[in-house]
Amino acid sequence: MVIYDLQCSNQHQFEGWFKNADDLVSQQASGLLTCPFCNSSEVSKKLTAAKVGRKSNSVSSPAPVEPNSQAAQAMPSDGAKAYAQLQKMLSDVHQHIDRNFVDVGNKFADEALKIHNGEKDPENIRGTASKAELKELAEEGVSALPLPPKPVNKDKLN
Ligand SMILES: [Zn+2]
């Protein structure tokens, strides 16, 4: 005797008892297998993939991950490697920007507009801007690139 979790085309879930796996297939084929709730004969074995999918989704969720958090530790090794690479890239980007861009703090939108309007010599600037300010800049035709946050790597601090 085998018991299968079954599901009909209307998503009803129920158990079916069979002599063996072949019995399930032949009952399916002959239309004998029907849903006890709606009598639909489109009944199939419930896919266990849904469970697997839910698990892997939580691992690859884009939620912010701190290096020492549980989420990071739960990552498969590939994920951890990719995360380390991403962290390296991010810190390279930040290093480049630290060296080549003038920090204007929260005056970013003002300064960017001044440069755009020719009131100030062109230079690379970095700083913080609100969403509204960024929208304003975009409308003025000023190109500004949002920057991902600086990675925190507690392990590699010297
Ligand atoms: Zn049904």
Side-chain angles (χ1 to χ4, degrees):
M1 199 62 108
V2 270
I3 304 169
Y4 288 116
D5 284 331
L6 302 172
Q7 190 170 25
C8 81
S9 52
N10 293 317
Q11 316 299 318
H12 297 126
Q13 292 172 10
F14 52 97
E15 276 182 359
W17 296 55
F18 304 93
K19 270 179 278 179
N20 51 45
D22 289 344
D23 191 28
L24 165 69
V25 175
S26 70
Q27 284 201 33
Q28 261 177 326
S30 58
L32 287 174
L33 191 58
T34 54
C35 169
F37 302 101
C38 67
N39 232 21
S40 162
S41 58
E42 282 177 60
V43 173
S44 53
K45 268 196 281 184
K46 210 173 97 184
L47 293 177
T48 49
K51 271 184 204 160
V52 176
R54 219 177 294 143
K55 245 184 213 167
S56 69
N57 277 351
S58 69
V59 167
S60 63
S61 90
V65 172
E66 295 231 356
N68 289 334
S69 72
Q70 287 186 333
Q73 284 161 4
M75 269 199 211
S77 58
D78 277 0
K81 214 185 282 171
Y83 181 77
Q85 275 172 1
L86 184 68
Q87 224 181 16
K88 170 87 171 62
M89 270 166 54
L90 270 181
S91 68
D92 284 351
V93 167
H94 275 277
Q95 233 170 52
H96 176 83
I97 287 167
D98 283 352
R99 279 185 202 141
N100 300 293
F101 286 64
V102 180
D103 189 0
V104 294
N106 58 15
K107 295 212 174 71
F108 180 82
D110 281 351
E111 296 295 305
L113 267 180
K114 274 188 209 157
I115 293 170
H116 182 72
N117 295 330
E119 297 164 25
K120 198 169 182 283
D121 287 339
E123 62 179 348
N124 292 327
I125 58 170
R126 65 191 164 93
T128 53
S130 68
K131 259 187 194 163
E133 285 172 334
L134 284 177
K135 190 164 169 269
E136 216 179 290
L137 289 178
E139 279 163 6
E140 293 286 331
V142 179
S143 54
L145 196 66
L147 195 64
K150 217 172 202 167
V152 184
N153 196 338
K154 290 164 189 155
D155 299 337
K156 285 186 183 166
L157 281 181
N158 288 327

